[in-house]
């Protein structure tokens, strides 16, 4: 006798007999949920991709503005924080941006002191239609100054001192030998690094050595290649160089905007 087959999708014969196995399709309500979930997932992926493209564009424009403004030889690394970036761009301001730049030169200075590495955190960054200009509501930055660059700028060998907050300065003389003094470092007005409390720690401070060290340390050395609007707050000697910490409000990056003391 003929028997009607149950509604469903034919899967195949059973391993243990001739009976056919059928799988029922998901009910209509479940199918709708699956379709809706797949559609939402596709929209989310598309939104993330679009937001990442917008972030990359904003990072590129910020890197260009910073490089042009600081005269950096290489394009800096830029990261735009927060999600979604598209919403931030629509509001005309990026909540937070991190920038890392290397080997920023010092131009037009009597004792040029380049910045070996500059890390900058910007809050409330607004970009104009001009890619060479960017403005931030507030900024925190750290400039790393290597002892090699400091030594070249000052004309004596600079190294970390034996106590916190101090450096050693060594003047080498062809016949008299080396003379080393220890000096305290601090932040001075006009974004300058000052040396004080100078003490002889090795050798004899004869007139030629005294002249070299006095020329190097008697006057504060300016940092002439930081964005205008930043103020030097502290200087900390480390094993390989000095960390100079800056803060500022309403800071603009644009060509020739570095501070000059």
């Amino acid at each position: 006798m003929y028997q009607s087959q149950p509604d469903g999708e034919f899967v195949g014969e059973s391993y243990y007999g001739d009976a056919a196995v059928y799988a029922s399709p998901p009910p209509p309500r479940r199918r709708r949920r699956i379709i809706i979930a797949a559609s939402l997932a596709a929209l989310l992926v598309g939104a993330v991709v679009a937001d990442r493209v917008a972030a990359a564009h904003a990072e590129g424009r910020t890197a260009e503005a910073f490089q042009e403004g600081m005269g950096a030889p290489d394009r800096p690394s830029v990261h735009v924080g927060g999600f979604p970036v598209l919403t931030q761009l629509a509001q005309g301001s990026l909540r937070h941006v991190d920038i890392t730049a290397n080997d920023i030169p010092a131009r037009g200075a009597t004792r040029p002191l380049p910045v070996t590495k500059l890390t900058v955190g910007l809050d409330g960054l607004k970009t104009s239609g001009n890619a060479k200009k960017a403005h931030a509501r507030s900024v925190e930055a750290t400039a790393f100054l290597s002892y090699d660059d400091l030594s070249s700028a000052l004309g004596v060998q600079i190294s970390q001192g034996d106590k916190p907050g101090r450096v050693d300065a060594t003047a080498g003389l062809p016949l008299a030998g080396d003379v080393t003094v220890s000096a305290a470092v601090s932040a001075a007005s006009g974004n300058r690094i000052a040396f004080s409390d100078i003490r002889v720690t090795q050798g004899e401070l004869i007139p030629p050595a005294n002249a070299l060290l006095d020329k190097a340390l008697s006057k504060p050395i300016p940092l002439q290649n930081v964005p205008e609007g930043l103020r030097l707050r502290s200087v900390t000697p480390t094993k390989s160089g000095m960390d100079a910490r800056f803060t500022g409000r309403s800071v603009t990056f644009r060509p020739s905007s570095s501070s000059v003391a």
Side-chain angles (χ1 to χ4, degrees):
M1 181 183 292
Y2 173 79
Q3 285 183 321
S4 61
Q5 301 293 342
D7 293 337
E9 181 182 353
F10 177 72
V11 176
E13 293 184 352
S14 170
Y15 180 77
Y16 297 101
D18 296 333
V21 178
Y22 288 82
S24 298
R29 181 177 297 177
R30 185 181 176 188
R31 287 201 301 270
R32 286 195 298 271
R33 290 176 179 173
I34 293 174
I35 293 172
I36 292 172
S39 300
L40 290 175
L43 288 173
L44 179 60
V45 170
V48 170
V49 171
D51 200 73
R52 185 57 255 176
V53 171
H57 180 68
E59 288 167 354
R61 287 180 61 85
T62 303
E64 183 180 355
F66 191 88
Q67 183 180 18
E68 290 284 345
M70 300 307 302
D74 299 316
R75 185 66 63 92
S77 170
V78 177
H79 174 71
V80 175
F83 180 86
V85 174
L86 281 170
T87 303
Q88 299 178 53
L89 291 173
Q91 295 173 347
S93 178
L94 298 173
R95 288 196 294 271
H96 185 80
V97 178
D98 290 311
I99 301 175
T100 301
N102 297 307
D103 302 322
I104 300 176
R107 299 192 178 104
T110 304
R111 295 183 293 173
L113 176 57
V115 171
T116 309
K117 182 178 181 180
L118 182 66
T119 56
V120 186
L122 307 98
D123 291 321
L125 178 65
K126 295 183 179 180
T127 57
S128 66
N130 183 357
K132 297 181 179 181
K133 181 179 179 180
H135 180 82
R137 183 182 68 253
S138 64
V139 179
E140 291 189 1
T142 298
F144 173 72
L145 314 167
S146 72
Y147 287 134
D148 287 342
D149 288 336
L150 279 162
S151 300
S152 298
L154 295 175
V156 294
Q157 188 65 40
I158 303 296
S159 60
Q160 185 181 24
D162 59 353
K163 294 183 179 180
R166 301 185 71 88
V167 295
D168 288 340
T170 301
L173 300 175
L175 299 178
D178 294 345
V179 178
T180 300
V181 299
S182 173
V185 296
S186 60
S189 61
N191 289 347
R192 298 178 300 167
I193 298 175
F195 304 92
S196 61
D197 190 21
I198 299 172
R199 310 168 186 173
V200 178
T201 59
Q202 180 181 337
E204 183 181 355
L205 192 60
I206 61 176
N210 183 65
L212 284 174
L213 293 167
D214 183 69
K215 181 180 179 181
L217 306 177
S218 62
K219 294 181 179 180
I221 183 168
L223 295 175
Q224 298 179 310
N225 47 354
V226 296
E228 185 178 359
L230 289 184
R231 294 293 175 264
L232 181 62
R233 303 301 183 186
S234 64
V235 182
T236 305
T238 68
K239 182 177 180 180
S240 54
M242 293 187 192
D243 285 334
R245 178 179 171 271
F246 296 84
T247 62
R249 292 190 175 277
S250 189
V251 178
T252 299
F253 301 90
R254 58 176 178 268
S256 302
S257 69
S258 57
S259 62
V260 177

